[in-house]
Amino acid sequence: MFSFLCGCCHLNLNFCYPIAQVHAAALNGGLYNRPFLESFEETPMLVAVLTYMGYGILTVFGYLRDFLRHWKIERCHIAREKEEQKDFVPLYQDFENFYTRNLYMRIRDNWNRPICSVPGAKVDVIERASSDYNWTFNYTGRVVQEVINLGSYNYLGFAENTGPCATSAAEVTAKYGVGVASTRQEIGNLDGHEEMEKLVAKFLGVESAMAFGMGFATNSMNIPALAGKGCLILSDELNHASLVLGVRLSGSTIRVFKHNNMQNLEKLLREAIVHGQPRTHRPWKKILIVVEGIYSMEGSVVRLPEVIALKKRYRAYLYLDEAHSIGALGPRGRGVIDYFGLDPCDVDVMMGTFTKSFGAAGGYIAGKRELIEYLRSHSHSAVYATSMSPPVVEQIITSMKCIMGEDGTTIGLKRVQQLAGNVVYFRKRLQEMGFIIYGNEDSPVVPMMLYMPAKIGAFGREMLKRNIGVVVVGFPATPIIESRARFCISAAHTRDVLDRKEEKVVHVNIPRLVVPLIL
């Protein structure tokens, strides 16, 4: 056992069972008003060696197959340049596609599975088969019914085709139609858009908010409007691709800090203030810290109280992406700010999406009124993008009112509580069974480690045989030796469904030999 005091919180590292736990309480004047528990485990050395061996064998066979394709011994399905363009600079970078061509393609059947039902607690999956090792698929005509859905981000179960949300969306569709065919600044600003933005601001406890039709573009198109040349952006190393793209498009100087490592973040902040900009050493125009509420691959929750303390100390700005945490965390479902009991005004830019807990589409930016008015005229996503579809807007309004209790019922609150209970129960059961899982104990994103590349495809296929749909993830979305299955828990899941899933995970006999699956 090794432990030490870190600021206002107590960090406890147990070397016998390597799980990092942070305990913090308001009783001792700390930053946290509740225990903050997260679990991570380093990859065992033997597993790491076997994983690298697996990738090595895959690479060797990949080069062998490329050799056979080059001499037309094996049929080539790869996109190639036309014969008359063979002397051109290649449009398709052959070497860059090596991983996709020879590794990903072997297990491609685990992704892009078509469904033909509502993505609720259970889904219907259209069966498909491949006769050329997943280069092409043919539909068999069979539908696999009632597959337990542990892959959708349907945290509160609002992705449904019955109930008040579906009814309201249908009524609005009959009145307004589906498309707006214009931008908000022209003739596409509906009364529903205005109502939705006021409701979002009220829900988050801030002055103002604005909505966008695409969650990815909410990040990638708004960050460049907030920072530019002469600015410094400090980004968590595990931030989502939309955040990464946004900070790159901004033209700002970028510094990456270790995931959820407050010591590393403070070091970068201190150096930025002391040294200023490169060469000129002038002060930075602004420093923007970019973090997520819940990290979708790790299941970890941002240490927001510490981040806010650092941003206040060094007078930086904070951009918080609550794509996965809004609706899914906190006693009232108001996200990571509600989870820690913090003041929303301490976060300068609040971002989130409607695609997960609200069962809709799009995203939002919220904060002070001056910020929102600035973005309305400077954000590419606000100026050039088509307005959000009316039925999608109504889905957001109805589901948000349900969570807030403004529909006159407690259905929304019960769903928030049901999700919290399901998460704790599911994580506890997996740990009792001996599985290695990552993330915060209250996170609805539950990564279960698989490590070896052969297990990625095997696990996904074996689970589908048992009528369970899961998401499996490997390199480059994760570190090369940390492949995993990612479960997303929903309030729509019952305890019986979760128990059935756990029992079938235990009985999955994943082959230990890598070579047979590679061949």
Side-chain angles (χ1 to χ4, degrees), residues 234-291:
L234 302 178
S235 177
D236 190 290
E237 66 178 346
L238 296 183
N239 275 343
H240 189 262
S242 60
L243 293 170
V244 174
L245 178 60
V247 300
R248 288 178 177 174
L249 290 175
S250 70
S252 305
T253 301
I254 305 168
R255 299 281 185 271
V256 178
F257 62 92
K258 296 178 182 177
H259 176 55
N260 249 351
N261 190 318
M262 297 302 105
Q263 291 77 20
N264 188 225
L265 175 58
E266 184 171 17
K267 178 176 178 289
L268 293 177
L269 282 167
R270 189 182 294 115
E271 290 177 352
I273 292 173
V274 171
H275 299 296
Q277 299 184 41
R279 293 190 298 275
T280 64
H281 299 291
R282 293 177 180 174
W284 296 100
K285 292 181 180 178
K286 70 180 76 166
I287 299 176
L288 181 66
I289 303 171
V290 180
V291 294

Side-chain angles (χ1 to χ4, degrees), residues 413-431:
L413 180 60
K414 288 180 179 178
R415 291 194 183 197
V416 172
Q417 294 171 345
Q418 175 73 18
L419 174 62
N422 284 350
V423 168
V424 173
Y425 177 77
F426 186 76
R427 282 181 169 272
K428 181 180 178 182
R429 292 280 288 135
L430 285 181
Q431 286 178 329

Side-chain angles (χ1 to χ4, degrees), residues 96-150:
E96 294 175 4
N97 291 329
F98 178 86
Y99 180 87
T100 302
R101 187 170 63 246
N102 293 303
L103 282 75
Y104 164 75
M105 199 60 63
R106 308 292 291 181
I107 55 176
R108 192 163 71 104
D109 56 304
N110 285 282
W111 294 280
N112 305 316
R113 288 170 176 160
I115 67 172
C116 55
S117 67
V118 174
K122 295 181 180 180
V123 294
D124 296 337
V125 180
I126 301 176
E127 188 179 69
R128 56 184 181 171
S130 176
S131 58
D132 53 6
Y133 301 102
N134 297 333
W135 286 98
T136 61
F137 292 101
N138 297 311
Y139 295 112
T140 64
R142 177 174 173 264
V143 175
V144 184
Q145 296 183 335
E146 295 198 342
V147 175
I148 297 175
N149 181 9
L150 288 168

Side-chain angles (χ1 to χ4, degrees), residues 336-458:
V336 70
I337 296 175
D338 183 34
Y339 178 74
F340 288 113
L342 301 172
D343 185 355
C345 296
D346 288 335
V347 178
D348 301 287
V349 185
M350 297 173 63
M351 178 271 173
T353 62
F354 303 118
T355 55
K356 301 170 179 67
S357 293
F358 304 98
Y364 65 82
I365 295 286
K368 292 184 178 179
R369 194 173 306 278
E370 294 84 353
L371 167 70
I372 302 306
E373 293 305 318
Y374 172 82
L375 288 177
R376 289 192 191 280
S377 57
H378 288 80
S379 168
H380 286 74
S381 189
V383 176
Y384 300 109
T386 302
S387 299
M388 190 180 291
S389 176
V392 173
V393 172
E394 187 62 26
Q395 168 75 19
I396 296 166
I397 292 173
T398 308
S399 59
M400 193 169 289
K401 284 184 176 180
C402 185
I403 297 172
M404 298 170 70
E406 292 191 1
D407 62 340
T409 71
T410 59
I411 294 175
L413 180 60
K414 288 180 179 178
R415 291 194 183 197
V416 172
Q417 294 171 345
Q418 175 73 18
L419 174 62
N422 284 350
V423 168
V424 173
Y425 177 77
F426 186 76
R427 282 181 169 272
K428 181 180 178 182
R429 292 280 288 135
L430 285 181
Q431 286 178 329
E432 289 174 350
M433 293 175 180
F435 292 104
I436 300 173
I437 61 173
Y438 276 9
N440 190 281
E441 65 173 2
D442 295 318
S443 170
V445 178
V446 186
M448 188 184 79
M449 305 311 294
L450 300 176
Y451 297 113
M452 299 179 187
K455 289 184 179 180
I456 300 174

Side-chain angles (χ1 to χ4, degrees), residues 144-363:
V144 184
Q145 296 183 335
E146 295 198 342
V147 175
I148 297 175
N149 181 9
L150 288 168
S152 297
Y153 306 128
N154 187 23
Y155 296 134
L156 294 181
F158 283 115
E160 52 193 358
N161 58 358
T162 58
C165 292
T167 301
S168 297
E171 292 173 354
V172 167
T173 302
K175 180 179 180 180
Y176 290 91
V178 175
V180 182
S182 181
T183 66
R184 292 283 299 276
Q185 290 194 349
E186 294 170 345
I187 201 169
N189 189 31
L190 304 179
D191 54 348
H193 293 130
E194 299 281 348
E195 179 187 356
M196 174 185 61
E197 291 178 343
K198 291 178 182 178
L199 186 65
V200 170
K202 181 180 178 181
F203 180 73
L204 298 173
V206 294
E207 294 179 5
S208 186
M210 64 182 300
F212 306 88
M214 181 181 179
F216 192 98
T218 305
N219 279 330
S220 61
M221 293 291 100
N222 283 295
I223 293 177
L226 298 172
K229 189 176 181 181
C231 300
L232 175 66
I233 295 180
L234 302 178
S235 177
D236 190 290
E237 66 178 346
L238 296 183
N239 275 343
H240 189 262
S242 60
L243 293 170
V244 174
L245 178 60
V247 300
R248 288 178 177 174
L249 290 175
S250 70
S252 305
T253 301
I254 305 168
R255 299 281 185 271
V256 178
F257 62 92
K258 296 178 182 177
H259 176 55
N260 249 351
N261 190 318
M262 297 302 105
Q263 291 77 20
N264 188 225
L265 175 58
E266 184 171 17
K267 178 176 178 289
L268 293 177
L269 282 167
R270 189 182 294 115
E271 290 177 352
I273 292 173
V274 171
H275 299 296
Q277 299 184 41
R279 293 190 298 275
T280 64
H281 299 291
R282 293 177 180 174
W284 296 100
K285 292 181 180 178
K286 70 180 76 166
I287 299 176
L288 181 66
I289 303 171
V290 180
V291 294
E292 293 187 50
I294 291 179
Y295 291 85
S296 58
M297 285 297 170
E298 304 298 316
S300 54
V301 174
V302 64
R303 295 181 180 178
L304 192 59
E306 298 174 68
V307 175
I308 289 177
L310 287 176
K311 83 106 179 176
K312 287 182 177 180
R313 184 182 306 166
Y314 295 98
R315 298 187 178 182
Y317 293 97
L318 176 58
Y319 186 106
L320 175 63
D321 178 347
E322 290 219 70
H324 286 269
S325 55
I326 192 68
L329 278 183
R332 301 176 301 159
R334 310 295 168 93
V336 70
I337 296 175
D338 183 34
Y339 178 74
F340 288 113
L342 301 172
D343 185 355
C345 296
D346 288 335
V347 178
D348 301 287
V349 185
M350 297 173 63
M351 178 271 173
T353 62
F354 303 118
T355 55
K356 301 170 179 67
S357 293
F358 304 98

